Each structure stands twice: as C-alpha cells, then as structure tokens.
Amino acid sequence: MGVVLLPDLGTEILIPVCAVIGIVFSLIQWYVVSQVKLSPDSGRSNNNKNGFSENLIEEEEGINDQSVVAKCAEIQNAISEGSTSFLYTMYQYVGIFMIAFAVLIFVFLGSVEGFSTKSQECTYDKSKTCKPALATAIFSTVSFLLGAVTSLASGFLGMKIATYANARTTLEARKGVGKAFIVAFRSGAVMGFLLAANGLLVLYITILLFKLYYGDDWEGLFEAITGYGLGGSSMALFGRVGGGIYTKAADVGADLVGKIERNIPEDDPRNPAVIADNVGDNVGDIAGMGSDLFGSYAESSCAALVVASISSFGINHELTAILYPLLISSVGIVICLITTLFATDFFEIKAVKEIEPALKKQLVISTALMTVAVAVISWVALPSSFTIFDFGSQREVKNWQLFLCVAVGLWAGLIIGFVTEYYTSNAYSPVQDVADSCRTGAATNVIFGLALGYKSVIIPIFAIAVSIFVSFSFAAMYGIAVAALGMLSTIATGLAIDAYGPISDNAGGIAEMAGMSHRIRERTDALDAAGNTTAAIGKGFAIGSAALVSLALFGAFVSRAAISTVDVLTPKVFIGLLVGAMLPYWFSAMTMKSVGSAALKMVEEVRRQFNEIPGLMEGTAKPDYANCVKISTDASIKEMIPPGALVMLTPLIVGTLFGVETLSGVLAGSLVSGVQIAISASNTGGAWDNAKKYIEAGASEHARQLGPKGSDAHKAAVIGDTIGDPLKDTSGPSLNILIKLMAVESLVFAPFFATHGGLLFKIF
C-alpha cells in the first residue's frame, strides 16, 4: 500500500502548532488595530508604518478633531452594547435548546441497544467488537455540546472584534482610503484566523481525548465525533436566522422611512433605526457568518473522518492518513497567513479603484498557494495507494487522485467567488443593467434583479456538479468530503474578506453620524461598496461548500444506515424527494415573513418618532434609539424559533415515522432545491444593493444621469435594495445551513433510525 512519509509524531505536532500560529497571528493583528486610539488626547507620539506621525492627521473642515474622535467613540460604544446585549439574549434561548437537544441525542442514541453497557459487534466489520451504543450516545452528546459552544464563541468573538474596529476604521479614513482599508482588513483577519484555528484545535483535542476511551475502535470514535458538526451548525442556524431577522428589520425600517419618506441620507443620526441597523450588521453578517462557516468546516471534517475510519486508514490505524482532513486545514492557516501579508504589508492601497482588486487578489493568491501546499501534504501524509469505503465495498485510490479531489474543490470555490463577483459588483454590466432599469421605476428594477439572480445560478451549479463528478469518480464519498474541505481550506482568508464588509459598512455609518466631512464619507462608501461584493463572494463560498458538505454527509448517512442504493422510483424515496425540495421554500417563506412583520413594527416606530418628537427632523432633538433596538431584538428572538424548529425536527420526524429511505429522499430533495434558491437569493439581493450604491456614488457618466440621491431612479433603486435585504442577508445565507444541518443531524441519529425508524410502515 505504500509508506507514509510524515510520521505520526510529526502530525501530532504539526496540527496544534499551525492552530497556535493562527491564534498568535490573529492576536498580533488585533494589537496593531488597537494602536489606533479612540480617546481624543492620545496617539500623538504614535508612528505608523510609513513614518508619518499622528499629528499629521488633517483637520476636518469646520469640525474640531477631538470632538469627532469623542463622538466616534460614543457611537461605537452604543453599537457594541446593542450587539452584546442581543447576543446575550439570544444565547439564553439557544442555551435552553442546546441542553434539551443534547438530552434528545443521548436518549435516542442510548436506546439503540436499550442503554446496554455491553460491547457490540461493529457496524461495518462484523468480526470485530466495538464499544457499546451507550458510549456513542454519551460521547456524541459531549461532542455536540463542544461544537455548539465553539460555534457560539466564534460568532461572539467575531462580533466583538468588528465592533472594536468600526470606529477605528472611520478615524483612519481621515488619513486616506488605504489606511482605513488596512484597519478593516486586519480586523477581519483577526476573526478569520481565530475561528479557523479554534475550530481546528478544539476538534483535534476532542479526537485525542475521545481516543483515550475508544482505543482501537476508530469506527465508534469518529461516529461520536459527528456530534461536533451538528453542534456547530445548529447554533449557526439560530445565529444566521436570528441575526438576519434583526439586521434586516432595522435596515428596511431605516431605509423606507428615512430615505424614501423623509429624504434624509443613509445612517443619518436623526433616523431612530440607525443604531439598530449598525448593530444588525454585526450580529447578522459577522456573528452569523462566523458560526455558519465554522459549521461547514466542522461538518466537512466530520464527514471525511467518518468515511476514513471505515476505509484502510481506519482499519489499519494509520493516524497521519486518517487526520489528512485536519492537515489540510492546518496548512491552510499558514497559507492564509502568508496571503494576508500581501494585503496588509507587502502592497499598499493608494486609490479607491485598488480596493476591490486587492481583495480579489487575496482569493487568487490563497488558492494558488494552497494548491501547492495540498500537493505536498497529499504526498507526505498519504500512502501511495489505499482503499476508500464505497457503499459496502472498498475502492483502491492513489494519493494523487485525492490531491485532485481537494484541488477541484479549491478551484471550484474560486470560480463560484468570481462568478458571484461578476453578478453583484457594480463594476460589471449585470448590476449596471439593473441600475439602468431604475429609470422606469421600481417594477422594472425588481424584474431585472430577479432575472439576474436566476441567471447567476448557472455557472456555480456547473462548478459544483463538475467537482462532485470528478471527486466521486476518484475517491467516492470521501473525495466529495475532501473537495468540500478544499473549498474551505482558505477559510481564514475568506472570513477576513467577508468580515471586512460589515466593518466598512459600520465605519461609513459612524462617519455620517459623527458629522464628518463628505470626503470621509466618500472614502468609507468606497470601502463599503467593495465590502458588499466581497460579502456576496463569501456567501457564494458558503453555499458552494454547503452543497459539497451536505452531499458528503448524505453519503456517510446512507452508509451508516446500511442503505445499499437510494432508488428514486420507489414511492418511499420519491415522496421524500418532493417534500425535501419543498422545505427550502417553506423555510424561506418563514424567514421572509419574519423580516416583513418585524420591519412593519420598525417602520411604525420610526414614523411615530418623526411625527411625535419635536425638533427631530431639525436635528435639535435626539431620537429614541433604544426602542428600535428593542423592537429588532424582540422580533428576531421570537421569529427565529419556528424556522429553527422546522429544520431541526424534520429529520427526526421523517426518520422515526417513515424510515431511512424516505429520509434519504428528503435530504437529496432539500440539497438540490436549496442550493439553487440560496445562490439566486443572495445574488439578487447583492445586485440590488450595489445598483443603489452605483447610482449614489455617481462615479460614471451613466450613474450621474440616473442620480443624484433622492431622484426617482434612486428611490426605485432603494425599493429594490429593500426587497433584496431579506433575500441576501436572511433567507439566502440561512438556506445553506438548512441543507447541511438536516444531513449532519440524520447522520448523528442514523443508528436510531436504522434500528427503530419507519414506525408508520411497520404498523401498516
């Protein structure tokens, strides 16, 4: 079979060392960001990278510099408090769910063998004995709780970093767009590296600790580890849905009353919903995205480890080979570290037009370097040939074939990213066409935007289809799992780019509220426009990887539930397919309606304040920001429960009542329809948002003909943007969690469904 060049000891050192490097690097980035002072009298002696001292900051026109700094600090504090308060409230509710679901996992999995403590014969190799089902129940519950806590921590840390950096980005914008870009990007990198390193480290330590009990029973060990992915994704669902409802209720309320009815600028301090809107950027786009990508990473690792444990790696107890998925993630952290230096240290941005190319280069550089790194890891960590479990048989695979599986996922991710950028950036014709359609009103804008979203699905689906075909042809379901890991191997860079967007958005809001000059606002708007596109790219990555991850988990579920083939022509499977394909629509309906009803309350409250508070429009009275924050918080906490329950209960009900065949149909159906809706929803919303920004910026002759702010075309663009808000920030991003979460939940509960499932068919 061949010898592995990297010894087990080397693997045991390499994985934690790479994780620690990631954590240290993120702390260094945080320290550099912290050198931008938020107290008015400090920072005079600081020298920055180019040797200019702080006292060369240009004075704003007619505004005392120190009062601006104090105002920025005050606004940042309000946003930070609002974000923290919302997450604490949400975590209380989610904590109750977490404990209840942990009990459910223990009861369901423990009852497989009647809570017996006797060893049982192994699922895949009947000649061996494995640890009792009760042990799987206990350890799956523990790993579920670990995954859930890590996911919550990832989201919370991301939010804290973003709220720490937003005002600092605003202040740096006084020195130029390049300085502001570096602060926003470094802050995004703090989140990216912390999340990637923590996710890897916790998973690795969990495997080592579980190994103390399981010993040579690797099949049982990695089956118990799947709970880690379930914990990560279940928390991500509530983070995404709750945060998404919060941010869009505030955003829609602020836009409809502020921009359209009162004709005041975005983020104007007179708008009562403005603080809630900025809080929403952090709890939805930062905390939600952090938990989401952590969930994808955890699940793709778990899916790969489960399949590897019943392949030659697990049977022959080859530690380095079985930890190949973790080695990919480890070198990914180091590659992303080198890539980040290109944006922050090697090259400097001097003009607005250089921002978007700099972010795109991050994707290209990380993908190119990672391809080389994966080739090296595949050469040193894998035997030259080995066997992979393939639905009941073992398929012989070469190490170069596994390298190609990872590489195809890696490059498919880049293609999806670039296609997403093409359809959502206002530098290209699709978004410019949408902006142009605003000349004839909101209706044509909506028609053009929907058409763009549907069209943007075509190439990403082909990219996903090709990567599935290639990776399955080479290495069955394990190939698909490592292709998903390939797509996520540059997660630190992807998250840095993604978190950069909401930080820049907040920075622009703070500049407007602090009354800084038009020139500063132009700089933060330029950062924000690039951030909108990168956020869309991040969502594209998340959706593409979710498709591969859920297919890999589906394969692991089918193997664990001992289904030899999934026959679409059998009624049991076909009804599952139909119901599964319907679920993303039901889920989207719930989340869209939730945003709509929450936005309704927000609009009424904002109107009430404008009508009832004397001097609010004149700027002599302050709005009641806290009331709007409360409306968003209450609505999102209440409204996140039904969509969450739909996703979490569907596999349990279908598996218990209808059995594993019907459940496999539901999983396939939800995957096929969910991916399409998610891509089109995200891209439609992103295009409408950037069409509005294209008109507002007035950077080209065409844009100036459509503008300025407040023109009929601009108002039509604002309506399109408002419709797109829940699509791109609530329904679209939450759908990728729906397809992953149902698959990983089915895998965790597979032993129960295989033993006790299909009660209705047994009765009748």
Side-chain angles (χ1 to χ4, degrees):
M1 298 289 270
V3 182
V4 175
L5 296 177
L6 182 66
D8 288 354
L9 181 63
T11 304
E12 288 167 350
I13 293 169
L14 183 64
I15 294 172
V17 163
C18 287
V20 170
I21 287 171
I23 293 169
V24 169
F25 183 72
S26 67
L27 293 175
I28 291 168
Q29 297 295 319
W30 174 81
Y31 174 75
V32 174
V33 171
S34 72
Q35 295 308 293
V36 180
K37 299 300 178 192
L38 261 186
S39 46
D41 57 339
S42 61
R44 292 291 177 208
S45 61
N46 260 356
N47 275 6
N48 65 27
K49 194 179 99 174
N50 293 327
F52 296 117
S53 63
E54 287 283 331
N55 57 14
L56 286 182
I57 294 176
E58 57 197 64
E59 288 289 317
E60 296 301 318
E61 299 104 44
I63 295 176
N64 177 279
D65 190 47
Q66 303 219 348
S67 69
V68 169
V69 178
K71 185 77 176 157
C72 286
E74 183 193 328
I75 298 162
Q76 183 212 38
N77 199 36
I79 294 170
S80 182
E81 279 177 12
S83 305
T84 307
S85 150
F86 168 72
L87 286 183
Y88 275 143
T89 310
M90 187 177 84
Y91 289 171
Q92 285 168 11
Y93 285 87
V94 167
I96 296 165
F97 158 80
M98 193 165 80
I99 292 160
F101 205 76
V103 171
L104 203 65
I105 292 172
F106 175 73
V107 170
F108 270 57
L109 294 184
S111 66
V112 171
E113 295 287 332
F115 295 96
S116 165
T117 53
K118 290 178 185 166
S119 294
Q120 55 179 355
E121 63 178 26
C122 296
T123 309
Y124 301 99
D125 186 352
K126 305 292 184 190
S127 63
K128 292 180 181 172
T129 55
C130 288
K131 299 290 182 188
L134 188 63
T136 306
I138 293 167
F139 283 98
S140 292
T141 306
V142 171
S143 61
F144 167 78
L145 291 171
L146 278 170
V149 170
T150 311
S151 180
L152 293 180
S154 300
F156 188 77
L157 286 170
M159 181 278 297
K160 276 293 182 194
I161 290 148
T163 53
Y164 183 81
N166 50 18
R168 287 171 167 80
T169 305
T170 310
L171 294 176
E172 286 293 278
R174 297 173 305 175
K175 303 178 196 173
V177 76
K179 295 281 182 289
F181 169 82
I182 285 181
V183 169
F185 190 78
R186 280 191 198 281
S187 310
V190 177
M191 178 189 177
F193 283 92
L194 264 184
L195 188 141
N198 282 342
L200 175 65
L201 199 57
V202 174
L203 179 57
Y204 179 65
I205 291 168
T206 307
I207 291 169
L208 290 186
L209 292 176
F210 281 19
K211 206 158 161 285
L212 297 175
Y213 170 78
Y214 277 98
D216 286 344
D217 177 15
W218 285 16
E219 181 189 306
L221 163 64
F222 290 108
E223 189 174 304
I225 287 288
T226 53
Y228 185 72
L230 176 59
S233 249
S234 54
M235 296 304 108
L237 176 72
F238 291 108
R240 261 294 194 209
V241 174
I245 293 167
Y246 185 109
T247 180
K248 291 305 116 182
D251 201 355
V252 170
D255 282 0
L256 284 180
V257 183
K259 286 187 191 170
I260 293 177
E261 293 180 11
R262 296 284 169 165
N263 213 10
I264 58 176
E266 189 165 356
D267 296 315
D268 191 296
R270 292 171 292 177
N271 194 326
V274 73
I275 292 287
D277 186 7
N278 281 293
V279 167
D281 290 335
N282 295 295
V283 296
D285 294 346
I286 297 269
M289 175 56 105
S291 293
D292 179 5
L293 281 177
F294 165 76
S296 282
Y297 162 74
E299 284 161 334
S300 54
S301 301
C302 291
L305 291 166
V306 165
V307 179
S309 70
I310 49 177
S311 304
S312 63
F313 302 155
I315 296 162
N316 302 330
H317 297 104
E318 297 167 8
L319 184 70
T320 297
I322 204 166
L323 292 180
Y324 176 69
L326 272 65
L327 287 167
I328 294 172
S329 306
S330 302
V331 294
I333 290 172
V334 178
I335 294 298
C336 290
L337 190 155
I338 296 164
T339 308
T340 302
L341 297 177
F342 279 93
T344 57
D345 294 82
F346 298 159
F347 300 104
E348 189 166 355
I349 285 176
K350 293 186 174 67
V352 166
K353 65 177 185 295
E354 295 172 16
I355 299 170
E356 219 166 287
L359 293 167
K360 276 163 65 180
K361 276 179 200 155
Q362 286 286 297
L363 291 174
V364 177
I365 293 166
S366 61
T367 304
L369 292 176
M370 193 62 204
T371 307
V372 178
V374 170
V376 174
I377 284 290
S378 304
W379 178 53
V380 299
L382 296 172
S384 55
S385 82
F386 43 89
T387 61
I388 292 292
F389 184 84
D390 180 16
F391 298 118
S393 61
Q394 294 282 347
R395 179 193 294 196
E396 187 164 325
V397 179
K398 302 274 191 287
N399 57 4
W400 62 266
Q401 290 175 312
L402 216 49
F403 156 67
L404 288 177
C405 293
V406 181
V408 81
L410 189 59
W411 286 92
L414 187 69
I415 291 166
I416 292 170
F418 276 178
V419 170
T420 306
E421 192 229 6
Y422 174 71
Y423 280 105
T424 57
S425 168
N426 54 29
Y428 302 105
S429 59
V431 170
Q432 290 172 10
D433 289 346
V434 172
D436 190 62
S437 71
C438 295
R439 284 181 299 125
T440 49
T444 43
N445 179 27
V446 170
I447 293 165
F448 268 72
L450 287 172
L452 177 146
Y454 298 147
K455 195 175 175 187
S456 71
V457 173
I458 300 166
I459 299 173
I461 290 298
F462 275 120
I464 293 167
V466 168
S467 52
I468 287 170
F469 181 78
V470 171
S471 48
F472 189 87
S473 302
F474 282 145
M477 279 299 173
Y478 187 69
I480 293 170
V482 293
L485 264 173
M487 207 176 269
L488 291 165
S489 59
T490 53
I491 186 172
T493 295
L495 264 170
I497 291 172
D498 205 68
Y500 154 89
I503 291 169
S504 302
D505 193 354
N506 261 203
I510 291 170
E512 184 74 45
M513 284 186 273
M516 294 170 92
S517 74
H518 179 65
R519 196 170 69 258
I520 304 301
R521 182 70 220 220
E522 276 182 349
R523 288 171 188 167
T524 56
D525 277 353
L527 292 171
D528 183 23
N532 261 347
T533 304
T534 57
I537 291 172
K539 287 176 190 127
F541 262 96
I543 295 162
S545 62
L548 294 177
V549 167
S550 56
L551 185 58
L553 291 164
F554 175 68
F557 161 72
V558 167
S559 302
R560 182 63 188 84
I563 306 169
S564 51
T565 53
V566 178
D567 187 354
V568 181
L569 295 176
T570 56
K572 277 185 189 178
V573 176
F574 194 77
I575 57 168
L577 268 177
L578 280 176
V579 171
M582 171 274 294
L583 285 173
Y585 290 93
W586 188 1
F587 179 83
S588 297
M590 282 178 159
T591 50
M592 296 281 284
K593 182 120 187 298
S594 298
V595 171
S597 55
L600 203 63
K601 290 178 191 155
M602 187 66 76
V603 167
E604 286 167 355
E605 172 60 20
V606 174
R607 277 181 185 155
R608 183 194 69 76
Q609 291 198 30
F610 273 121
N611 293 332
E612 293 179 12
I613 299 176
L616 184 55
M617 268 307 282
E618 293 74 30
T620 54
K622 278 185 81 172
D624 182 1
Y625 296 128
N627 217 20
C628 290
V629 169
K630 186 177 185 302
I631 286 172
S632 259
T633 302
D634 293 349
S636 55
I637 297 295
K638 188 176 118 214
E639 301 282 355
M640 75 180 181
I641 295 165
L646 172 71
V647 178
M648 299 301 290
L649 294 178
T650 298
L652 291 176
I653 293 168
V654 173
T656 306
L657 297 181
F658 299 95
V660 286
E661 285 96 346
T662 308
L663 181 54
S664 61
V666 168
L667 295 179
S670 65
L671 166 60
V672 169
S673 87
V675 172
Q676 330 268 346
I677 303 171
I679 294 173
S680 70
S682 291
N683 290 352
T684 296
W688 275 327
D689 194 349
N690 272 347
K692 176 200 72 176
K693 285 205 163 52
Y694 175 74
I695 295 171
E696 287 175 349
S700 67
E701 185 57 40
H702 176 236
R704 284 191 287 277
Q705 286 171 4
L706 297 168
K709 285 184 185 180
S711 67
D712 287 344
H714 178 247
K715 284 185 175 175
V718 171
I719 291 169
D721 174 37
T722 311
I723 297 167
D725 274 338
L727 285 172
K728 76 176 168 62
D729 289 320
T730 311
S731 297
S734 305
L735 278 172
N736 61 59
I737 304 176
L738 172 137
I739 57 177
K740 294 181 306 189
L741 185 50
M742 293 208 321
V744 74
E745 190 182 331
S746 303
L747 173 58
V748 170
F749 286 99
F752 175 82
F753 297 149
T755 313
H756 302 300
L759 292 178
L760 282 184
F761 293 129
K762 286 175 183 172
I763 293 166
F764 299 111

